[in-house]
Amino acid sequence: MSEKIDRRKQFTRMVLKEALMKLLKEKPISSVTVKELCEMANINRSTFYSHYIDAHDLLDKIGKELFDDMYATLNQYNYKKQDEVLQMSTKILEYVAERSEQCQILLSDNGDTSFKKRVIGIIQEFIMKKWMEEHQLGDDLSEYIPLLVVSGGVDTIESWLVNGKKESPQEMARLIHQFINFGLSGFRKK
């Protein structure tokens, strides 16, 4: 009996997540109502409220699940050297590409602003920390450089998603990696 309830709960949460993602393609989270979520998911309001407080709570849970999954995926790898940072960047972009629709919505203006901050934090932890250690940058700039690089990288990833992922995750990882290591001078014509 417990297994049936768990499956039912899983199904309800799945249809609510799908309904919210569809609605967020059209409008911001602030305009999404529980009533329209329930209508789209074909569930009643009391069922919705047995799982979530409101649409923001549902969005927050979607972002947290995606973030936790991304974190667990990246923790499977143990990159210690700077030259392996490109591989880690590629893994992040492959992960984002596999879940592009959700990531695009969560990073968009209609989505969850805290999700973008979490993504910036995870990239700082997994990539920039190693880069900063290897390049032994002084403390006076160490607070700003990761923020500048990672924020630009996340905006680049968001743009890549919006533009239909024309480049492969590997190509995007190389582009970002080249910029981090060589700045604009790394893009001069030869």
Side-chain angles (χ1 to χ4, degrees):
M1 181 78 175
S2 172
E3 189 176 323
K4 253 187 179 178
I5 293 171
D6 289 344
R7 282 191 204 162
R8 207 174 327 145
K9 282 183 180 180
Q10 288 175 343
F11 178 77
T12 300
R13 290 177 180 165
M14 180 192 69
V15 295
L16 284 168
K17 289 174 192 175
E18 289 172 0
L20 182 60
M21 290 293 114
K22 285 178 187 173
L23 289 168
L24 290 176
K25 286 180 182 179
E26 301 166 13
K27 58 184 170 178
I29 185 66
S30 59
S31 299
V32 174
T33 67
V34 171
K35 180 182 178 189
E36 63 189 333
L37 267 170
C38 292
E39 286 173 0
M40 186 172 277
N42 199 25
I43 64 162
N44 63 47
R45 290 171 63 109
S46 63
T47 301
F48 176 89
Y49 288 119
S50 70
H51 295 275
Y52 305 104
I53 298 168
D54 56 18
H56 285 76
D57 183 40
L58 171 56
L59 180 60
D60 184 58
K61 300 270 190 315
I62 292 169
K64 185 175 178 352
E65 284 176 21
L66 193 64
F67 176 80
D68 290 348
D69 186 45
M70 182 188 306
Y71 195 84
T73 299
L74 294 176
N75 265 326
Q76 294 174 15
Y77 304 97
N78 188 14
Y79 297 111
K80 300 228 184 250
K81 297 178 186 169
Q82 173 57 31
D83 57 335
E84 295 170 332
V85 170
L86 177 59
Q87 294 171 348
M88 178 61 78
S89 300
T90 302
K91 290 291 177 200
I92 289 173
L93 285 158
E94 288 171 350
Y95 182 90
V96 168
E98 288 172 15
R99 292 150 185 88
S100 62
E101 185 175 17
Q102 273 189 325
C103 289
Q104 184 178 343
I105 291 168
L106 288 169
L107 289 170
S108 76
D109 291 339
N110 289 352
D112 181 7
T113 57
S114 68
F115 181 74
K116 192 171 197 173
K117 290 177 186 174
R118 288 185 214 153
V119 171
I120 288 171
I122 200 170
I123 293 172
Q124 283 181 317
E125 179 180 340
F126 281 95
I127 295 176
M128 286 308 298
K129 185 177 175 185
K130 290 172 180 53
W131 189 88
M132 295 289 288
E133 289 169 0
E134 184 167 302
H135 288 84
Q136 300 174 352
L137 294 177
D139 290 336
D140 56 332
L141 298 177
S142 63
E143 174 184 349
Y144 301 107
I145 292 172
L147 183 61
L148 175 68
V149 172
V150 174
S151 295
V154 170
D155 286 342
T156 301
I157 292 167
E158 184 179 357
S159 180
W160 173 62
L161 291 172
V162 168
N163 292 324
K165 301 178 303 200
K166 294 173 188 160
E167 300 80 9
S168 71
Q170 295 78 13
E171 290 172 310
M172 290 304 294
R174 277 194 299 277
L175 172 79
I176 293 169
H177 187 72
Q178 184 174 352
F179 180 76
I180 289 171
N181 286 296
F182 305 109
L184 292 174
S185 63
F187 296 97
R188 291 184 187 152
K189 288 188 177 185
K190 295 178 184 182

